[in-house]
PDB file of all heavy atoms in Angstrom:
ATOM      1  N   ASP N  54     104.472 103.741 126.581  1.00  0.00           N
ATOM      2  CA  ASP N  54     104.769 104.357 127.878  1.00  0.00           C
ATOM      3  C   ASP N  54     103.758 105.456 128.214  1.00  0.00           C
ATOM      4  O   ASP N  54     104.120 106.554 128.631  1.00  0.00           O
ATOM      5  CB  ASP N  54     106.190 104.921 127.873  1.00  0.00           C
ATOM      6  CG  ASP N  54     106.707 105.172 129.297  1.00  0.00           C
ATOM      7  OD1 ASP N  54     106.164 104.554 130.228  1.00  0.00           O
ATOM      8  OD2 ASP N  54     107.630 105.997 129.452  1.00  0.00           O
ATOM      9  N   MET N  57      99.965 107.956 123.184  1.00  0.00           N
ATOM     10  CA  MET N  57      99.381 107.388 121.980  1.00  0.00           C
ATOM     11  C   MET N  57     100.189 107.880 120.778  1.00  0.00           C
ATOM     12  O   MET N  57     100.312 109.082 120.551  1.00  0.00           O
ATOM     13  CB  MET N  57      97.917 107.803 121.840  1.00  0.00           C
ATOM     14  CG  MET N  57      97.186 107.057 120.726  1.00  0.00           C
ATOM     15  SD  MET N  57      97.155 105.254 120.987  1.00  0.00           S
ATOM     16  CE  MET N  57      96.137 105.139 122.464  1.00  0.00           C
ATOM     17  N   GLY N  61     101.235 104.607 111.465  1.00  0.00           N
ATOM     18  CA  GLY N  61     100.836 104.721 110.068  1.00  0.00           C
ATOM     19  C   GLY N  61     100.487 106.155 109.760  1.00  0.00           C
ATOM     20  O   GLY N  61     101.259 107.069 110.029  1.00  0.00           O
ATOM     21  N   GLY N  62      99.296 106.383 109.174  1.00  0.00           N
ATOM     22  CA  GLY N  62      98.857 107.737 108.893  1.00  0.00           C
ATOM     23  C   GLY N  62      98.869 108.575 110.157  1.00  0.00           C
ATOM     24  O   GLY N  62      98.417 108.137 111.212  1.00  0.00           O
ATOM     25  N   ALA N 133      92.497 114.833  87.946  1.00  0.00           N
ATOM     26  CA  ALA N 133      92.842 114.029  86.765  1.00  0.00           C
ATOM     27  C   ALA N 133      94.146 114.544  86.162  1.00  0.00           C
ATOM     28  O   ALA N 133      94.152 115.168  85.098  1.00  0.00           O
ATOM     29  CB  ALA N 133      91.713 114.073  85.742  1.00  0.00           C
ATOM     30  N   GLY N 150     115.736 111.781  87.007  1.00  0.00           N
ATOM     31  CA  GLY N 150     116.148 112.378  85.742  1.00  0.00           C
ATOM     32  C   GLY N 150     115.899 113.873  85.708  1.00  0.00           C
ATOM     33  O   GLY N 150     116.701 114.643  85.157  1.00  0.00           O
ATOM     34  N   GLU N 160     125.032 119.190  97.474  1.00  0.00           N
ATOM     35  CA  GLU N 160     124.329 119.254  98.751  1.00  0.00           C
ATOM     36  C   GLU N 160     122.841 119.563  98.563  1.00  0.00           C
ATOM     37  O   GLU N 160     121.996 119.002  99.267  1.00  0.00           O
ATOM     38  CB  GLU N 160     124.989 120.282  99.659  1.00  0.00           C
ATOM     39  CG  GLU N 160     126.355 119.832 100.175  1.00  0.00           C
ATOM     40  CD  GLU N 160     126.912 120.759 101.225  1.00  0.00           C
ATOM     41  OE1 GLU N 160     126.463 121.930 101.293  1.00  0.00           O
ATOM     42  OE2 GLU N 160     127.784 120.326 101.998  1.00  0.00           O
ATOM     43  N   LEU N 172     109.072 111.391 101.708  1.00  0.00           N
ATOM     44  CA  LEU N 172     107.627 111.535 101.527  1.00  0.00           C
ATOM     45  C   LEU N 172     107.080 110.458 100.606  1.00  0.00           C
ATOM     46  O   LEU N 172     105.963 109.975 100.793  1.00  0.00           O
ATOM     47  CB  LEU N 172     107.310 112.917 100.961  1.00  0.00           C
ATOM     48  CG  LEU N 172     107.769 114.111 101.815  1.00  0.00           C
ATOM     49  CD1 LEU N 172     107.397 115.409 101.144  1.00  0.00           C
ATOM     50  CD2 LEU N 172     107.180 114.037 103.211  1.00  0.00           C
ATOM     51  N   GLN N 175     110.101 105.872  98.132  1.00  0.00           N
ATOM     52  CA  GLN N 175     110.477 105.192  96.903  1.00  0.00           C
ATOM     53  C   GLN N 175     111.746 105.830  96.352  1.00  0.00           C
ATOM     54  O   GLN N 175     111.992 107.020  96.549  1.00  0.00           O
ATOM     55  CB  GLN N 175     109.356 105.301  95.865  1.00  0.00           C
ATOM     56  CG  GLN N 175     109.636 104.653  94.522  1.00  0.00           C
ATOM     57  CD  GLN N 175     109.885 103.170  94.656  1.00  0.00           C
ATOM     58  OE1 GLN N 175     110.895 102.743  95.205  1.00  0.00           O
ATOM     59  NE2 GLN N 175     108.966 102.354  94.174  1.00  0.00           N
ATOM     60  N   LEU N 188     101.305 115.751  93.388  1.00  0.00           N
ATOM     61  CA  LEU N 188     101.260 115.924  94.840  1.00  0.00           C
ATOM     62  C   LEU N 188     101.444 117.388  95.226  1.00  0.00           C
ATOM     63  O   LEU N 188     100.770 117.902  96.132  1.00  0.00           O
ATOM     64  CB  LEU N 188     102.335 115.063  95.493  1.00  0.00           C
ATOM     65  CG  LEU N 188     102.198 113.549  95.342  1.00  0.00           C
ATOM     66  CD1 LEU N 188     103.385 112.846  95.989  1.00  0.00           C
ATOM     67  CD2 LEU N 188     100.894 113.044  95.938  1.00  0.00           C
ATOM     68  N   ILE N 207      96.107 113.957 115.216  1.00  0.00           N
ATOM     69  CA  ILE N 207      94.926 113.689 116.042  1.00  0.00           C
ATOM     70  C   ILE N 207      95.394 113.305 117.440  1.00  0.00           C
ATOM     71  O   ILE N 207      96.168 112.359 117.613  1.00  0.00           O
ATOM     72  CB  ILE N 207      94.080 112.569 115.411  1.00  0.00           C
ATOM     73  CG1 ILE N 207      93.605 113.017 114.023  1.00  0.00           C
ATOM     74  CG2 ILE N 207      92.895 112.226 116.300  1.00  0.00           C
ATOM     75  CD1 ILE N 207      93.053 111.906 113.182  1.00  0.00           C
ATOM     76  N   ARG N 216      88.097 103.558 114.642  1.00  0.00           N
ATOM     77  CA  ARG N 216      87.359 102.864 115.702  1.00  0.00           C
ATOM     78  C   ARG N 216      85.999 103.507 115.960  1.00  0.00           C
ATOM     79  O   ARG N 216      85.003 102.815 116.168  1.00  0.00           O
ATOM     80  CB  ARG N 216      88.201 102.849 116.975  1.00  0.00           C
ATOM     81  CG  ARG N 216      89.427 101.928 116.885  1.00  0.00           C
ATOM     82  CD  ARG N 216      90.347 102.085 118.064  1.00  0.00           C
ATOM     83  NE  ARG N 216      91.495 101.175 117.971  1.00  0.00           N
ATOM     84  CZ  ARG N 216      92.656 101.381 118.569  1.00  0.00           C
ATOM     85  NH1 ARG N 216      92.831 102.477 119.305  1.00  0.00           N
ATOM     86  NH2 ARG N 216      93.647 100.523 118.436  1.00  0.00           N
ATOM     87  N   LEU N 247      82.055  82.438 105.484  1.00  0.00           N
ATOM     88  CA  LEU N 247      81.149  83.567 105.387  1.00  0.00           C
ATOM     89  C   LEU N 247      80.765  83.801 103.941  1.00  0.00           C
ATOM     90  O   LEU N 247      81.610  83.762 103.044  1.00  0.00           O
ATOM     91  CB  LEU N 247      81.821  84.835 105.938  1.00  0.00           C
ATOM     92  CG  LEU N 247      81.048  86.150 105.787  1.00  0.00           C
ATOM     93  CD1 LEU N 247      79.844  86.156 106.714  1.00  0.00           C
ATOM     94  CD2 LEU N 247      81.949  87.327 106.072  1.00  0.00           C
ATOM     95  N   THR N 261      97.433  96.336  95.727  1.00  0.00           N
ATOM     96  CA  THR N 261      98.316  95.174  95.676  1.00  0.00           C
ATOM     97  C   THR N 261      97.658  93.924  96.243  1.00  0.00           C
ATOM     98  O   THR N 261      98.166  92.812  96.051  1.00  0.00           O
ATOM     99  CB  THR N 261      99.618  95.448  96.452  1.00  0.00           C
ATOM    100  OG1 THR N 261      99.294  95.918  97.769  1.00  0.00           O
ATOM    101  CG2 THR N 261     100.453  96.495  95.733  1.00  0.00           C
ATOM    102  N   ALA N 292     110.299 106.214 119.261  1.00  0.00           N
ATOM    103  CA  ALA N 292     110.784 105.987 120.626  1.00  0.00           C
ATOM    104  C   ALA N 292     110.533 107.241 121.445  1.00  0.00           C
ATOM    105  O   ALA N 292     110.146 108.292 120.918  1.00  0.00           O
ATOM    106  CB  ALA N 292     112.269 105.633 120.616  1.00  0.00           C
ATOM    107  N   GLY N 309     121.927 108.726 106.417  1.00  0.00           N
ATOM    108  CA  GLY N 309     122.135 107.524 105.632  1.00  0.00           C
ATOM    109  C   GLY N 309     121.081 106.463 105.851  1.00  0.00           C
ATOM    110  O   GLY N 309     120.592 105.848 104.904  1.00  0.00           O
ATOM    111  N   ARG N 353     113.524 105.257 125.254  1.00  0.00           N
ATOM    112  CA  ARG N 353     112.517 104.436 125.928  1.00  0.00           C
ATOM    113  C   ARG N 353     111.540 103.858 124.916  1.00  0.00           C
ATOM    114  O   ARG N 353     111.107 104.539 123.989  1.00  0.00           O
ATOM    115  CB  ARG N 353     111.759 105.289 126.954  1.00  0.00           C
ATOM    116  CG  ARG N 353     112.595 105.788 128.111  1.00  0.00           C
ATOM    117  CD  ARG N 353     111.773 106.651 129.044  1.00  0.00           C
ATOM    118  NE  ARG N 353     111.453 107.942 128.476  1.00  0.00           N
ATOM    119  CZ  ARG N 353     110.293 108.568 128.628  1.00  0.00           C
ATOM    120  NH1 ARG N 353     109.307 107.975 129.295  1.00  0.00           N
ATOM    121  NH2 ARG N 353     110.088 109.759 128.089  1.00  0.00           N
ATOM    122  N   SER N 354     111.212 102.607 125.086  1.00  0.00           N
ATOM    123  CA  SER N 354     110.203 101.899 124.285  1.00  0.00           C
ATOM    124  C   SER N 354     110.446 102.032 122.773  1.00  0.00           C
ATOM    125  O   SER N 354     109.517 102.328 122.010  1.00  0.00           O
ATOM    126  CB  SER N 354     108.797 102.410 124.619  1.00  0.00           C
ATOM    127  OG  SER N 354     108.520 102.317 125.989  1.00  0.00           O
ATOM    128  N   HIS N 365      97.872  91.310 104.525  1.00  0.00           N
ATOM    129  CA  HIS N 365      96.657  91.948 104.016  1.00  0.00           C
ATOM    130  C   HIS N 365      96.839  93.446 103.741  1.00  0.00           C
ATOM    131  O   HIS N 365      95.882  94.116 103.355  1.00  0.00           O
ATOM    132  CB  HIS N 365      95.461  91.747 104.954  1.00  0.00           C
ATOM    133  CG  HIS N 365      95.215  90.313 105.319  1.00  0.00           C
ATOM    134  ND1 HIS N 365      94.952  89.347 104.370  1.00  0.00           N
ATOM    135  CD2 HIS N 365      95.212  89.684 106.522  1.00  0.00           C
ATOM    136  CE1 HIS N 365      94.783  88.184 104.975  1.00  0.00           C
ATOM    137  NE2 HIS N 365      94.934  88.362 106.279  1.00  0.00           N
TER     138      HIS N 365
END
Side-chain angles (χ1 to χ4, degrees):
D54 198 21
M57 190 61 66
E160 289 188 340
L172 301 180
Q175 179 60 291
L188 296 177
I207 299 166
R216 290 171 179 156
L247 174 71
T261 52
R353 295 178 288 142
S354 305
H365 308 301

